[in-house]
Amino acid sequence: MIDLLVTNIGQLCTVPAHDGGPQRGAALGDLGLLADAAVAIHRGAIVEVGPSARLERAYAARTVLDAGGMLVTPGLVDPHTHVVWAGNRADEFEQRIAGATYQQIMAAGGGINRTVRETRAASKEALIAATRARLLTMLAHGTTTVECKTGYGLETRTELTMLEVIRTLDEELPLDLVPTFLGAHAVPPEYTGDPDAYVALLTDEMLPAVAAWGATYWPQGIFCDVFCEVGAFDLEQTRRILTAAQRLGMPLKVHVDEFEPLGGARLAAELGAVSADHVVVTPDDEIEALGRSNTAVVSLPCTPFGLGHTRYTPARRFLEAGAALAVATDCNPGTGWNENMQFVLALATRYLRLTPAEALAAATINAAFAVGRGDRVGSLEAGKQADLVIWTVPAYQHLSYRFGSNLARTVIQRGRVVYELRDRLDVLTQR
Ligand code: NIG
Ligand code: FE
């Protein structure tokens, strides 16, 4: 007797790993499609995936869930978010629409440091409540694994509070959270004019404190990330921070080439970072370097979209170079407040020129590898965690083709139904 059988799946995307790794370069977009399929689930894990008729005969299930002939995919994985923050920057959005640039607003004390002020002033309970609301919105849109960065504390105490918010919500909510320490998000106001002193604080105090916290509360490992950018941290400072983190055993991520190319992509490949993120203005030789490396490339199309820019990650060039490409929301209060990975698929097909199949694989199996979880989530294969979404649409192309409204019908995490679009179900599935 198994716990759950999801049957009558019109189209099932298993999105397999390739040789135990991501789908690289031209191989991206292998959805492992099955028609008239079923998924057998027991104790939170996938037992078998196969034809509906055969699995219905083979398994007695405590619960049978009829997918109504619709599409089923792995739960979406969002491998880059800044989801923990207090307040909002709606006024800065108005200024940007009127012509101010993101960098001008940042130089004038707004931007990241504005959210730092509001986050430092917020109670832990208030931060938990604000973050919970955003994570539940993600879940309702089909996301089951979320990378969550700190980076609005920029002092040891508040950075540790942000990690505790992530730990609390990982325990409370039916989502898997992956914590990343981003103390190197900006130079905080008390260090204006002396960024090297802040880098020293990061390497000598904050990183050891985070590593000690992690040893007690998050032994699975905490990523360290740096915003390598003009106005944030230069290449040499980025190297100092990342190598200090590496000495403490932390795996690495890096924000590179969002606005100006500083050589961060090459550094990410050289240090064996798990991912290099943004990669909008990356020079050709560094695209090649990332393509040859094991560093995943995470593109964040909501960011140029949110800023009203027209330049996006040159995704096809990364794929030609053989890179493992993933996509994410970058959900944050400054450049793009969006919780919905379906909208990322819509942008990725139009502006990164990915096919709908490539975009879906970039948002599932490759996104899982970009947060070091490719062995557990991101695909529907026997032995993996049972994270899957039943959609209100019949085929995967719809997830990119349509945009602006939620297409998720039922979200299953670790074998449990955790979200269901109950009220509109009958109407929606008859289209
Ligand atoms: O990824 N690049 C740095 N961080 C965010 C923006 C954060 C903010 O503006 O609050 C990003 O775009
Ligand atoms: Fe970011």
Side-chain angles (χ1 to χ4, degrees):
M1 178 74 93
I2 59 165
D3 290 337
L4 177 63
L5 186 68
V6 182
T7 58
N8 192 20
I9 300 169
Q11 184 180 74
L12 178 68
C13 299
T14 61
V15 207
H18 283 180
D19 300 323
Q23 298 184 0
R24 302 188 66 101
L28 181 65
D30 174 10
L31 297 184
L33 286 181
L34 293 174
D36 303 319
V39 182
I41 294 164
H42 193 57
R43 296 204 171 140
I46 296 170
V47 178
E48 192 177 354
V49 170
S52 238
R54 184 166 66 71
L55 266 59
E56 274 168 33
R57 280 196 306 274
Y59 294 98
R62 248 178 286 280
T63 307
V64 176
L65 198 56
D66 187 328
M70 292 292 130
L71 170 72
V72 169
T73 71
L76 304 179
V77 176
D78 191 343
H80 179 139
T81 84
H82 306 253
V83 70
V84 188
W85 79 79
N88 69 76
R89 308 220 297 269
D91 52 351
E92 290 182 7
F93 171 68
E94 268 192 321
Q95 291 164 21
R96 279 196 285 106
I97 289 305
T101 68
Y102 181 75
Q103 290 95 324
Q104 282 165 351
I105 292 169
M106 182 155 89
I112 293 168
N113 273 319
R114 155 81 176 286
T115 301
V116 169
R117 284 194 293 281
E118 292 183 87
T119 303
R120 284 178 179 179
S123 68
K124 183 172 161 185
E125 291 63 40
L127 268 181
I128 288 175
T131 306
R132 178 192 289 119
R134 290 187 279 269
L135 288 170
L136 287 175
T137 304
M138 291 176 175
L139 184 70
H141 288 82
T143 299
T144 48
T145 299
V146 184
E147 187 259 13
C148 304
K149 299 179 198 293
T150 70
Y152 294 114
L154 311 188
E155 59 183 8
T156 308
R157 182 184 58 86
T158 311
E159 286 291 313
L160 290 177
T161 301
M162 293 182 79
L163 286 172
E164 275 161 16
V165 168
I166 296 165
R167 186 173 77 100
T168 301
L169 292 171
D170 178 68
E171 279 175 8
E172 178 195 310
L173 301 177
L175 283 135
D176 284 2
L177 306 185
V178 179
T180 297
F181 171 67
L182 180 58
H185 197 190
V187 176
E190 52 290 6
Y191 287 89
T192 305
D194 196 3
D196 283 326
Y198 183 61
V199 172
L201 180 78
L202 275 163
T203 57
D204 301 350
E205 182 185 308
M206 293 171 88
L207 277 169
V210 168
W213 183 90
T216 310
Y217 297 110
W218 204 282
Q220 312 93 295
I222 300 173
F223 283 100
C224 177
D225 192 349
V226 176
F227 187 16
C228 182
E229 186 61 55
V230 174
F233 298 90
D234 66 22
L235 188 64
E236 196 274 320
Q237 293 164 337
T238 302
R239 180 188 287 277
R240 250 187 287 157
I241 299 159
L242 292 177
T243 51
Q246 215 160 31
R247 277 196 297 275
L248 291 164
M250 298 171 76
L252 309 179
K253 293 182 156 284
V254 205
H255 281 69
V256 302
D257 304 328
E258 180 174 354
F259 302 114
E260 306 274 353
L262 296 186
R266 184 181 301 286
L267 180 67
E270 179 199 320
L271 295 179
V274 174
S275 71
D277 302 45
H278 282 293
V279 287
V280 176
V281 296
T282 309
D284 282 339
D285 57 329
E286 294 189 64
I287 292 178
E288 295 296 330
L290 280 175
R292 284 190 303 271
S293 75
N294 285 324
T295 299
V297 167
V298 180
S299 177
L300 309 163
C302 291
T303 307
F305 178 83
L307 292 171
H309 293 177
T310 51
R311 190 162 175 186
Y312 287 79
T313 300
R316 299 247 59 101
R317 297 232 300 282
F318 275 105
L319 292 179
E320 280 158 25
L325 181 77
V327 291
T329 60
D330 198 22
C331 183
N332 75 79
T335 58
W337 184 334
N338 164 46
E339 291 94 343
N340 181 2
M341 283 290 286
Q342 297 166 48
F343 186 59
V344 174
L345 300 181
L347 294 179
T349 42
R350 288 161 182 82
Y351 298 120
L352 308 185
R353 304 238 156 246
L354 300 185
T355 66
E358 289 170 337
L360 181 57
T364 51
I365 189 64
N366 280 14
F369 277 105
V371 293
R373 298 279 178 103
D375 57 335
R376 274 192 269 166
V377 298
S379 63
L380 300 179
E381 300 178 273
K384 277 196 140 176
Q385 197 164 299
D387 294 0
L388 47 144
V389 183
I390 305 173
W391 300 92
T392 59
V393 297
Y396 70 86
Q397 292 92 338
H398 289 248
L399 299 182
S400 314
Y401 157 55
R402 293 161 62 163
F403 56 94
S405 35
N406 188 8
L407 304 173
R409 182 197 117 174
T410 306
V411 181
I412 296 166
Q413 203 257 359
R414 296 188 185 222
R416 279 197 308 136
V417 173
V418 293
Y419 168 80
E420 204 154 13
L421 187 74
R422 283 201 184 82
D423 301 346
R424 295 162 60 205
L425 187 61
D426 293 344
V427 191
L428 280 167
T429 50
Q430 275 165 30
R431 281 191 289 184

